[in-house]
Amino acid sequence: MIVRPLLWLPSTRYCRAMPHKVRIALDAMGGDHGAAVVVPGAELSLSRHPDMEFFLFGDRAAVEPLLDARPQLKAASHLVHTEIVVQMHDKPSQALRKGRRKSSMWLAVDAVKKGEADVAVSAGNTGALMAMAKIDLRTMVGINRPAIAALWPTLKGESVVLDLGASIGADADHLVELAAMGSAMAGVLFGLDRPTVGLLNIGVEEVKGLEAVREAGQMLRAEEWPQFEYVGFVEGDDIGKGTVDVVVTEGFSGNIALKAAEGTARQLGQYLKHEMNRTLVRRLGYLLARGAFRALGNKMDPRKSNGGVFLGLNGIVIKSHGGTDAEGFAYAVDLGYDMVRHELLAKIGHSLTRHHSEAVPARVVGGAAS
C-alpha cells in the first residue's frame, strides 16, 4: 500500500500528536470465516506496516493457536477473550440484546471509544456493526446519520462513493453532509487539496431527479466550498469513468449500485474464463496475453478495494466484506491504518464546520478530534 503524502496538518484544536504505533482493534470472530481470515489478514497488513499494534477480541481457543503460529504478529498483539459472537444473520436488535458490552464486535468498537485503540475493523454483520458503533461512539456534532464510504475502482484510478447502505433515504442537508465527509476522505486517500464532488442522479440536467437531490444540488452550487469543488450531477456510468473524486448518493441507491458493479465484475470474469478455454487457439492466445489478463484481474480484484469506512462517528470503524479472504481483510486493515495516520476525523471536523456553525467535539479518538 502506498502511503500518500499529507498535504496539510490540522490545528491542535482538532488533533493530538500521533502515537508511534497505530492501534488496531479487530473483531477476530466477525465474518464468514472468523479468526481463520482475520489473523492471517492482520499478519499481512503488519508486514506492510510494522508500526501497528493489534487488540484481538475473540474466543481464545480459536484465536490463540493462529497467533502462536505467527510469532511476529503475536509479539504485536493483545488477545482479549470473549465467547460471544454476533452472527451474520442476526438482526441489529438481536445483536444488541445478546452482544452489547460483551461480544467481540462490541468490544472492538468500545476499545476505540475508550481510547485503547485508534480504529476498529470488523468483517461481521453490517447492520449490527453500524448499530453498535452508532450507540457506543455516537455521531459527530452536526451529523444526524453516519454513512458508509468505500473506494471504487475507475478508469482514472479510484473514487470515494458514499453512502453505500448505512441508511435509506436522505434529505438535502444529509446529502450535503455526505459531500463534506466524502471530500475529507478523498483528501486523505488521494492527497488532494480540493477533491471534485458529484451528486448521483438519473441525468445531469438540473431539472431531473428526486426533489432532495435537486435541492442538495442547489445548496452545493450556491456556495463556495473551500475543501471541495462541486461539479454537478453525475450518472451511473460516471462512477466507473472516474468523472469525479467523490460520488454522493443515499444508501439505498448506493448499495444497489455497489452490488450491481460487484456482480457485473464477477460475470465478466466468468465470461472471460469460459471463452478463453473453449478452443486450443484461444488458450494459446491467453498464454501470449497472460500479462495483460493478470493486470486486468488485479484492477478488477474486489479484495483490493475491500473496506468501507463508517463516516460521521466519534471514532474510526472499518467494515470488511464478510466473505473476503486474508488478503482482502488485510486491505481493510490497511485502509484503517491510512485513516488514522492521515487524521481522517480531524479533516472531517474541518470540513463540517463549513456546513454547520457548531464546533466539532473536543474529545480525541484515534489520533484526531471527534
Side-chain angles (χ1 to χ4, degrees), residues 101 169 173 205 231 355:
R101 295 190 173 88
D173 280 328
E205 297 86 356
V231 301
H355 180 54

Side-chain angles (χ1 to χ4, degrees), residues 84 86 90-103 106 132 135:
I84 308 300
V86 173
D90 287 343
K91 294 180 180 179
S93 57
Q94 294 174 321
L96 286 169
R97 280 197 300 270
K98 75 175 185 181
R100 189 170 183 174
R101 295 190 173 88
K102 53 189 177 181
S103 67
W106 177 279
M132 289 185 177
I135 289 173

Side-chain angles (χ1 to χ4, degrees), residues 137-150:
L137 296 174
R138 301 191 180 278
T139 56
M140 301 175 75
V141 169
I143 295 295
N144 294 316
R145 291 184 291 170
I148 301 176

Side-chain angles (χ1 to χ4, degrees), residues 30-245:
D32 296 341
H33 310 290
V37 160
V38 172
V39 175
E43 181 184 38
L44 283 172
S45 188
L46 179 64
S47 69
R48 297 193 279 259
H49 306 292
D51 57 333
M52 280 183 177
E53 182 179 11
F54 292 101
F55 293 84
L56 291 94
F57 299 89
D59 189 339
R60 185 178 299 277
V63 179
E64 198 163 49
L66 295 169
L67 286 176
D68 289 339
R70 297 167 171 83
Q72 185 177 6
L73 176 63
K74 185 175 182 179
S77 300
H78 309 271
L79 175 58
V80 179
H81 174 71
T82 178
E83 297 178 358
I84 308 300
V85 179
V86 173
Q87 302 298 328
M88 296 298 283
H89 59 267
D90 287 343
K91 294 180 180 179
S93 57
Q94 294 174 321
L96 286 169
R97 280 197 300 270
K98 75 175 185 181
R100 189 170 183 174
R101 295 190 173 88
K102 53 189 177 181
S103 67
S104 58
M105 180 181 287
W106 177 279
L107 292 174
V109 173
D110 200 48
V112 175
K113 178 184 178 180
K114 292 176 178 177
E116 297 168 352
D118 301 305
V119 55
V121 184
S122 174
N125 182 317
T126 304
L129 182 62
M130 177 58 77
M132 289 185 177
K134 187 175 180 180
I135 289 173
D136 198 27
L137 296 174
R138 301 191 180 278
T139 56
M140 301 175 75
V141 169
I143 295 295
N144 294 316
R145 291 184 291 170
I148 301 176
L151 293 175
W152 195 296
T154 74
L155 294 176
K156 295 181 179 179
E158 290 175 317
S159 295
V160 171
V161 182
L162 74 166
D163 179 17
L164 293 177
S167 58
I168 294 176
D171 59 19
D173 280 328
H174 183 58
L175 291 171
V176 175
E177 289 173 2
L178 294 180
M181 293 191 294
S183 65
M185 180 173 166
V188 166
L189 289 175
F190 307 147
L192 299 174
D193 283 320
R194 201 160 177 253
T196 56
V197 175
L199 282 176
L200 188 64
N201 203 353
I202 59 172
V204 297
E205 297 86 356
E206 294 293 326
V207 296
K208 287 188 174 181
L210 298 173
E211 181 179 352
V213 177
R214 297 199 309 271
E215 184 180 349
Q218 292 171 358
M219 292 169 64
L220 288 167
R221 197 176 294 282
E223 297 188 51
E224 181 69 19
W225 302 87
Q227 69 274 33
F228 63 85
E229 177 188 356
Y230 175 64
V231 301
F233 295 150
V234 294
E235 298 183 74
D237 61 339
D238 286 310
I239 304 178
K241 291 177 182 177
T243 303
V244 291
D245 300 309

Side-chain angles (χ1 to χ4, degrees), residues 1-2 4 22 24 45 48-49 52 119-121 148-151 158 160 185 188-190 303-311 316-320 328-344:
M1 159 123 1
I2 298 174
R4 301 167 181 86
V22 174
I24 314 285
S45 188
R48 297 193 279 259
H49 306 292
M52 280 183 177
V119 55
V121 184
I148 301 176
L151 293 175
E158 290 175 317
V160 171
M185 180 173 166
V188 166
L189 289 175
F190 307 147
R303 297 176 301 178
K304 298 185 185 305
S305 299
N306 184 42
V309 185
F310 287 5
L311 297 181
I316 303 174
V317 177
I318 307 294
K319 170 63 176 73
S320 167
F329 189 82
Y331 278 106
V333 177
D334 289 344
L335 180 61
Y337 174 91
D338 275 355
M339 295 297 94
V340 174
R341 275 297 184 216
H342 293 313
E343 303 283 2
L344 173 68

